[in-house]
Each structure stands twice: as structure tokens, then as C-alpha cells.
Amino acid sequence: SGPCCCSPREPITGMAAPASPTRRVIIDTDPGVDDALAILLAFGAENIAVEGLTIVCGNGADICALGANARLLARAAGFPDVPICLGDAPEEGAEAVQDIPVHVHGADGLGDMATKYGRSEADRSGFDARSAAQFLCDACDAAPGEITVVAIGPLSNVAAALVARPDLPTLLQERCTESTAATGRPRRRRTSLRTPRRRRRC
């Protein structure tokens, strides 16, 4: 057969690849080491804008300690002013809340590295005055159809927001949830639609 007359396609110059649209997200989280990685990756992604962190009890019942972990992570990522809102204190014996599994997360929830990287007692206070549920509602009200809620902890904050705003799903761009434990087995996370208890003081 004769030589091929097809030449390699020349690269097109002067045309940049289309930029990915920025996705605005709120991360609903109980910051242990697994959530810490997710939060840092989200802050570092060029096409994600983290609008806020809402904190829920799950890896531990101390909501203020979990909030302090979130503040440390936001500061380490270069976003110290991102809103951090605490969820409501869990009911006694709530199934979704567990003592921190120290063999996984360390005593501080961050592999016993929180103090080394600058978490202090001051990080346990000074959070956004709004509850996690109120922040979710306010953000979605202000930008209907633009917010994605990434729920990587128990769903009590999402449940509380739905109690306050049953139409919340119509205001979201998307909702992503996670419910797998480190063992690979599904972690049972029941969502109660009862009115949550008041927030626990730090």
C-alpha cells in the first residue's frame, strides 16, 4: 500500500481550555481525619468555593471541639474567615453520635496533631452566631439554585434546616451525602425531623 497521506493533527494555538464553572459549596461536617482531608481538598480545588462549614456531632459529642478542628483546617488552608456555624447539641444516646474512635482519629479528632498545628483554646469560641441550620437556609435563600450542600457527617443539621424550610431542596443546586465508615460497612445515620435541642454552650 502507498504512504499514508494523513498528517498528524496540528495543535490549535491561542485557544485556552474552557474554565470549569466554580461550584459554591457548604460542607456539613464532623471534622475527624477523614473529613479533614475532604475539607482541605475542597479549599484547594480551583473550581470549588467553600461558602461555609456547618458542624455536626458525630465523631464525638463536643460540638465546640469539632468546630475548633474546622477552624484550624480553614486557617491552614488559607481561609481563616470562612463562616463556621455550630449545629445543635445531640440528644442523649443519639445513634449518630459516638465517642471519638481514638484508634482512628486520635484523642483530638485530628490524629493528635491539632495542637502541633496551632489549635488553641481560643478556637473553641467566636463562631458565626447563626446555627448551622439557619446558615444553610440563609445561604440558599440568598443564592437559589447555586449552593451545593456536601453532607459528610450525620444529617441532623440538614434535618433541622428542612424543618425550618421544607422547600429547601428546591433552592439547592445539589446535595451530596456520605454514609460509609472506615471499615467500608455502611454507617447507619438516621435523620430525625423532630425539632432539635438548643445548641450547647462552649
Side-chain angles (χ1 to χ4, degrees):
S1 60
C4 177
C5 62
C6 298
S7 59
R9 179 173 295 179
E10 295 295 327
I12 299 174
T13 57
M15 295 182 62
S20 299
T22 299
R23 175 165 294 214
R24 302 174 64 184
V25 306
I26 296 171
I27 303 177
D28 190 61
T29 173
D30 55 338
V33 292
D34 50 350
D35 288 17
L37 178 59
I39 289 167
L40 292 173
L41 287 172
F43 275 125
E46 294 182 355
N47 61 338
I48 292 177
V50 179
E51 302 282 326
L53 301 174
T54 51
I55 310 304
V56 60
C57 285
N59 289 320
D62 186 343
I63 193 75
C64 299
L66 295 170
N69 286 352
R71 174 167 285 147
L72 171 61
L73 293 166
R75 189 164 62 238
F79 294 87
D81 298 323
V82 70
I84 297 173
C85 303
L86 301 185
D88 295 283
E91 296 181 4
E92 294 296 327
E95 182 181 10
V97 178
Q98 58 186 338
D99 292 331
I100 294 177
V102 175
H103 66 289
V104 176
H105 299 284
D108 60 7
L110 292 178
D112 295 324
M113 300 296 285
T115 300
K116 177 179 177 179
Y117 286 99
R119 195 188 78 177
S120 68
E121 190 64 24
D123 288 325
R124 293 177 56 93
S125 60
F127 300 106
D128 192 292
R130 290 168 290 182
S131 70
Q134 188 61 55
F135 180 79
L136 288 168
C137 293
D138 288 351
C140 293
D141 260 337
E146 297 183 20
I147 302 295
T148 294
V149 173
V150 180
I152 52 178
L155 298 176
S156 54
N157 288 339
V158 176
L162 286 169
V163 169
R165 289 295 303 269
D167 63 334
L168 187 65
T170 67
L171 300 175
L172 292 173
Q173 182 183 64
E174 190 176 5
R175 176 177 59 85
C176 305
T177 60
E178 169 273 329
S179 60
T180 303
T183 60
R185 298 189 299 270
R187 179 186 300 169
R188 291 188 298 164
R189 286 177 169 171
R190 294 179 181 172
T191 301
S192 171
L193 294 182
R194 292 177 295 173
T195 303
R197 296 172 61 189
R198 291 164 47 187
R199 276 180 294 165
R200 178 176 297 165
R201 286 192 163 188
C202 298

